[in-house]
Amino acid sequence: MAINILPFGFSDIPSLLILFIIGYVSHFYYRYFTRINPIPGPIPLPIVGNIHQKIGYSLGEWYKLLHKQYGDMFEVNYAGQRIVVLCRPDLLENMNTTSTKTKYPIRFNNTEGLVEYGVSAVGVGHNNVPKSWKFNRQFFTQAMLTPSFNHQAIEWTYELWKEMEIYWNKIGENQELDLGKWMHRFTNEIIFNIATGVKNNSVAAFYYTVVDPESIKTLDKTEQAKMEYSEEFVQSIETYMSGVGYFFVLNKFIRNNVPFFREKIKMLLKNKETLFNRIRKIIKERRYEIENTPLDQPLRHDILTSHITANTPRDINIIKHSDDVDMSRPMVDKEIFGNIFESIIAGTDTSASVFCFVVYFLEHHPEVKKRLRQELDEVFGNDSTKPITFKEIEELHYCDAVIKEVNRHSPVAFMIGRVSSESDNVGGCEWPKGSVFHMYFGSIMKNKNYWTDPEKFDPERFYKVEESDKDKYLLEKKKLKNTYSMFGGGIRMCPGRKLAIIELKCLIACIYRSYDVDLVDYDAPIKYESGFINSCRELKVKIKPRSF
Ligand code: HEM
């Protein structure tokens, strides 16, 4: 029997394409309308999901709009990834538990792009392998719980402030400073110093190569080279950070084949290798130094030294966490690299942005600034040149309250992710293993059900609540679970939280006990970029000696 095969020509391609698209779109919407637990949210488009609707908004603004429209539990779709956004504390019930048996051990799913870029599978932040995460995480805790670590952190913060003050005085009081940029350099240098014990001169390099490039000629050749190397290094960290989005969003095919992206990716990978090699070199050199330091000579307390010596005869840590043999071995260089690199990445933008937000709010609330200065004067007395100690930092309770209230209004980490490792009931629905949630604290911290007069900026709500205030901040006094977050919660809570607060309080004290800060434009809203965190990009100020 003859088989009749229909001839197929080029003219049939458009029809086939249309058939394919109809099939794909029908399948997409069939799956969408029959998905489990359909909850409110904008209807997605095939391929892009809801991403096109976000254009023109920061992530925080977009979530705020969606929350108003769809309620406390809604869903969005990021290019095929379904995400459930939670805006009520009771919905977060199981997500921030400190038990290692938590159903939410992971913050975000990793992509193969992030692995290629070196973000995932090392350190802790993006490490989704429980055993490896637990092993690395214990060293963070050990390093930061050592009491001498706090003293060292304050000493270095104070020393660097004194150095930055010299550059600011050179610039003069009538000149504008971009506090956003200065603070990024400051926190970068502090965290680099605390992480590695090495001074990377980020602040000095900013002054000599960016703010006043002519002045570099006043330095000798060796110092000039040091500044240029340092600037290159800091730029390299910034370039690395700017590339994370490409590796998160683009798949391998696009990264390697599509013009423009291909070149960009090549440049980013080259930069990554140079940057990683520089940090690997620091680790090797410190290992060598430690091995050649006589046993009776003390070692300094930075995170790197703590990591290299942990579980060895030279261990500088006083806290031990585990009797488990797997957990009590020393770290290898690759593991150390992960933790050190993450400290630098996680401790720069966050602390710098919180500091800029604090300045912005203080300058818009003179009564709060006055109260803060009163506390600074009580604790430090009249001598503004007296070095700052840990004891004094601990006495700054109102300053603590100011930082907390600024974070409530303008949180850096306004949203925190969680991925479930087993099925769980959230908001009356049974969600399968692998469901992705965003805890949207930006909205929870402004909800009148949990906060008295939530739009009001008043650090008193976090300050020692006196008897006379009994009725004023009644809700706050209840300390309702999951209504406030600055550093997250549960097993993934930020390990750098103590360090960040010490650094912030020290810097606030240094500046506000001696200087007046004027915003160049009091009417301008604060400028920040909103990706996964709100990062302050610019805050123009003028600094002059304090008029008492
Ligand atoms: C004001 C400054 C800071 C803020 C607002 C902040 C905030 C956060 C938040 C919200 C998380 C996620 C916690 C969670 O998922 O529950 C986090 C994680 C993390 N932070 Fe911070 N952080 C700050 C400073 C630092 C510093 C100075 C370091 C340096 C050591 C650091 C290192 C980390 C690391 C390594 C993680 C990942 C922890 C893990 O996954 O186990 N952070 N931070």
Side-chain angles (χ1 to χ4, degrees), residues 343-511:
S343 312
I344 297 165
I345 299 298
T348 299
D349 243 15
T350 46
S351 306
S353 300
V354 175
F355 184 78
C356 290
F357 294 159
V358 167
V359 169
Y360 182 85
F361 275 90
L362 285 178
E363 293 315 311
H364 280 91
H365 296 274
E367 71 294 350
V368 174
K369 184 165 75 175
K370 195 171 159 203
R371 175 73 192 84
L372 173 79
R373 277 190 158 158
Q374 211 178 318
E375 180 177 79
L376 297 179
D377 294 344
E378 278 160 22
V379 171
F380 296 106
N382 292 333
D383 184 4
S384 65
T385 57
K386 211 173 104 198
I388 291 175
T389 66
F390 185 56
K391 183 180 160 290
E392 289 155 337
I393 291 288
E394 284 205 305
E395 287 170 24
L396 298 177
H397 301 295
Y398 189 74
C399 186
D400 250 330
V402 169
I403 296 171
K404 284 193 180 119
E405 179 69 342
V406 167
N407 176 69
R408 189 182 70 80
H409 275 267
S410 189
V412 165
F414 62 92
M415 175 283 288
I416 302 175
R418 289 289 181 263
V419 183
S420 60
S421 61
E422 43 187 294
S423 68
D424 192 24
N425 190 300
V426 178
C429 304
E430 194 63 23
W431 296 94
K433 169 184 171 177
S435 297
V436 183
F437 298 92
H438 282 178
M439 304 183 285
Y440 180 34
F441 284 103
S443 137
I444 294 175
M445 292 197 285
K446 284 292 196 70
N447 190 319
K448 64 177 175 8
N449 292 329
Y450 324 114
W451 298 96
T452 314
D453 202 356
E455 291 306 322
K456 186 172 178 197
F457 179 78
D458 186 6
E460 291 290 336
R461 71 177 83 237
F462 290 107
Y463 193 52
K464 300 175 217 166
V465 188
E466 309 293 347
E467 275 301 292
S468 56
D469 284 336
K470 214 159 45 191
D471 297 323
K472 200 170 162 197
Y473 288 117
L474 215 57
L475 273 171
E476 283 75 352
K477 277 212 250 170
K478 287 188 193 164
K479 291 203 161 71
L480 297 166
K481 204 175 152 199
N482 290 324
T483 54
Y484 184 82
S485 166
M486 180 164 181
F487 296 107
I491 60 164
R492 287 274 176 165
M493 193 178 200
C494 174
R497 57 194 183 279
K498 225 169 120 195
L499 167 64
I501 293 293
I502 288 179
E503 190 186 347
L504 284 166
K505 285 167 81 175
C506 190
L507 200 50
I508 292 170
C510 286
I511 295 187

Side-chain angles (χ1 to χ4, degrees), residues 93-110:
E93 190 58 33
N94 297 336
M95 295 187 187
N96 283 333
T97 57
T98 45
S99 161
T100 46
K101 294 193 179 70
T102 173
K103 291 178 180 175
Y104 298 91
I106 293 169
R107 191 175 306 111
F108 295 111
N109 279 325
N110 282 330

Side-chain angles (χ1 to χ4, degrees), residues 187-228:
T187 53
N188 179 267
E189 182 161 341
I190 283 293
I191 193 62
F192 198 90
N193 209 343
I194 286 171
T196 64
V198 173
K199 187 166 166 56
N200 76 351
N201 297 307
S202 182
V203 168
F206 183 56
Y207 175 73
Y208 285 111
T209 67
V210 181
V211 176
D212 184 8
E214 275 298 301
S215 65
I216 200 165
K217 292 178 193 153
T218 61
L219 304 177
D220 66 37
K221 289 275 175 263
T222 325
E223 282 298 301
Q224 282 184 23
K226 215 157 97 181
M227 292 304 136
E228 276 151 13

Side-chain angles (χ1 to χ4, degrees), residues 63-122:
Y63 276 7
K64 195 171 168 183
L65 280 176
L66 295 177
H67 178 209
K68 247 191 200 153
Q69 204 173 340
Y70 298 108
D72 291 338
M73 182 161 98
F74 62 88
E75 62 177 291
V76 285
N77 186 305
Y78 290 93
Q81 167 88 86
R82 185 180 183 193
I83 292 179
V84 179
V85 184
L86 306 170
C87 313
R88 228 175 47 222
D90 60 289
L91 299 171
L92 320 180
E93 190 58 33
N94 297 336
M95 295 187 187
N96 283 333
T97 57
T98 45
S99 161
T100 46
K101 294 193 179 70
T102 173
K103 291 178 180 175
Y104 298 91
I106 293 169
R107 191 175 306 111
F108 295 111
N109 279 325
N110 282 330
T111 63
E112 54 73 35
L114 289 182
V115 176
E116 182 180 6
Y117 203 40
V119 177
S120 307
V122 288

